[in-house]
Amino acid sequence: MNKSGMVYFTAWLLLSAIFISSCRNNQSEKQSTDLSGELTIFHAGSLSVPFKALADSFCRIHPEVSILTESAGSLASIRKITDLNKPCDIMASADYTLIDKLLIPDYASWNLLFAGNEMSIVYHSDSRLADSLSADNWYKILLNPEVRFGRSDPDSDPCGYRAILTMKLTEKFLDQPGMTENFLQKDNKFIRPKEVDLLALLESGSIDYIFLYKSVAIQHKLKYLELSDSINLASPGLHDLYQTVSVEIAGNKPGDKITQHGEAMVYGLTILNNSKNKALAEAFISFILKDGLQIIENLGQTRVIPRLSEKSQAPAFLHEYLVP
């Protein structure tokens, strides 16, 4: 081959490589935008910021997808499904056990455990007695008649019954019988349906402190007091200790009660049996498992090894993401 022929041949190879690369890029773009439709997600209030970030990231990859998120206390969200028959594709609960107890098997067939959290005491710079607040005296300050604190409704929101479990663990640890009852009788006018509803009360100065998840404090750049692992419901290694306390909450039907024992916090999610767009729902959960867990962790939640609850029937699409 002469010199001019070699130049021509080299140029042809280069153009061919560019063409092949372009085809691959176009194919990649096609694969990333082949999803379309509407996805409806009910989720815990404490997942509002993480799930907005997840939805925004997913929709940048799949611009033909529309994600509708609806935030409420986890129990309230579940009742929208079981009592009101509201259409929903994905349900994400701040307490995975609620999916096991209230949705499986009639409304869902599996439950993916995907994140953790912990209880904390949240406050602001002008909160009464904030200068003296510590891990040793927080309960005394919250019970002070001059101080007002807020908590969420335990019959609507896991953060509400976890606040009570934290009180009971503190009472047990300090050997102060009656302390939990004193908490429950104080400041009841500041109980709200879900934990994030309390943020406006704190900002306005109507209350001084909130029993709140650490992740929500981090997301909203609020001051918070970290509690010891013995009471903050964060440590799986303290399962036996947490199990020594319990609280009764409202079930699915009027008059029904569910007993919730103390347990390290783990969030759960599922796709509903009657989801109208299961392929899209599976793609979104696959995205969470591949890329979204880091987003959730960056927003203050504890990373856990994704796994299915014992009541689950494993769906085929999750097999590649779960440790055998």
Side-chain angles (χ1 to χ4, degrees):
M1 183 180 295
N2 60 28
K3 185 175 181 180
S4 61
M6 179 64 73
V7 170
Y8 175 80
F9 181 69
T10 302
W12 179 82
L13 286 176
L14 180 60
L15 289 172
S16 297
I18 292 172
F19 176 76
I20 292 169
S21 174
S22 176
C23 287
R24 286 175 179 169
N25 288 339
N26 288 339
Q27 181 66 22
S28 175
E29 287 181 11
K30 183 178 180 181
Q31 288 175 351
S32 68
T33 59
D34 61 359
L35 290 174
S36 64
E38 189 172 276
L39 190 66
T40 300
I41 303 174
F42 293 168
H43 62 73
S46 57
L47 288 172
S48 295
V49 173
F51 266 63
K52 182 182 186 306
L54 292 169
D56 289 347
S57 296
F58 187 79
C59 289
R60 279 194 293 270
I61 302 170
H62 305 288
E64 298 302 315
V65 171
S66 174
I67 298 180
L68 307 177
T69 60
E70 194 168 313
S71 167
S74 296
L75 281 159
S77 294
I78 287 173
R79 291 184 190 118
K80 292 176 187 177
I81 298 166
T82 60
D83 296 359
L84 303 180
N85 297 314
K86 294 190 67 174
C88 174
D89 297 293
I90 294 173
M91 170 65 210
S93 171
D95 185 345
Y96 82 94
T97 66
L98 297 178
I99 294 176
D100 277 1
K101 293 178 178 179
L102 301 176
L103 290 181
I104 296 176
D106 293 340
Y107 302 92
S109 59
W110 53 270
N111 181 10
L112 178 68
L113 286 58
F114 72 99
N117 219 323
E118 65 183 75
M119 291 300 299
S120 66
I121 305 298
V122 174
Y123 62 103
H124 58 77
S125 300
D126 295 327
S127 295
R128 294 172 180 85
L129 305 180
D131 291 343
S132 58
L133 181 70
S134 74
D136 296 323
N137 70 1
W138 64 268
Y139 58 93
K140 294 179 182 178
I141 287 178
L142 266 62
L143 288 173
N144 187 305
E146 297 181 0
V147 168
R148 299 184 292 268
F149 71 86
R151 56 189 175 94
S152 58
D153 182 358
D155 286 329
S156 298
D157 182 29
C159 192
Y161 60 73
R162 284 169 170 160
I164 298 173
L165 293 170
T166 293
M167 297 172 195
K168 290 189 173 186
L169 286 167
T170 304
E171 177 181 314
K172 180 183 289 286
F173 180 76
L174 296 173
D175 192 22
Q176 291 196 14
M179 190 183 74
T180 299
E181 190 58 34
N182 291 337
F183 268 112
L184 297 180
Q185 291 178 1
K186 188 176 186 289
D187 296 336
N188 283 336
K189 66 180 179 179
F190 300 118
I191 295 175
R192 293 295 183 270
K194 60 182 184 293
E195 73 282 341
V196 294
D197 294 339
L198 297 160
L199 298 178
L201 294 177
L202 184 71
E203 184 178 352
S204 67
S206 299
I207 57 177
D208 303 294
Y209 301 93
I210 309 173
F211 281 95
L212 197 63
Y213 296 135
K214 178 180 175 180
S215 69
V216 178
I218 291 172
Q219 291 157 16
H220 293 272
K221 297 179 171 56
L222 299 170
K223 295 178 180 293
Y224 64 92
L225 174 71
E226 289 191 333
L227 303 174
S228 71
D229 285 350
S230 61
I231 63 174
N232 66 8
L233 301 171
S235 175
L238 295 177
H239 176 81
D240 290 344
L241 171 62
Y242 297 158
Q243 287 276 296
T244 61
V245 296
S246 64
V247 61
E248 283 197 341
I249 59 174
N252 266 349
K253 299 177 182 178
D256 282 358
K257 290 290 183 182
I258 300 172
T259 299
Q260 292 295 105
H261 286 87
E263 186 174 343
M265 294 188 199
V266 181
Y267 286 56
L269 59 78
T270 190
I271 296 174
L272 280 301
N273 291 338
N274 64 354
S275 167
K276 296 186 182 302
N277 201 337
K278 285 193 177 180
L280 181 55
E282 289 178 359
F284 183 74
I285 291 176
S286 296
F287 167 76
I288 292 177
L289 293 172
K290 285 190 291 188
D291 303 308
L293 295 179
Q294 188 60 56
I295 293 173
I296 293 170
E297 187 176 23
N298 291 344
L299 289 169
Q301 294 203 232
T302 308
R303 186 187 284 258
V304 302
I305 297 174
R307 63 191 188 278
L308 291 169
S309 73
E310 292 182 359
K311 293 190 68 174
S312 298
Q313 296 180 8
F317 85 97
L318 284 181
H319 289 165
E320 65 179 292
Y321 304 108
L322 304 178
V323 177

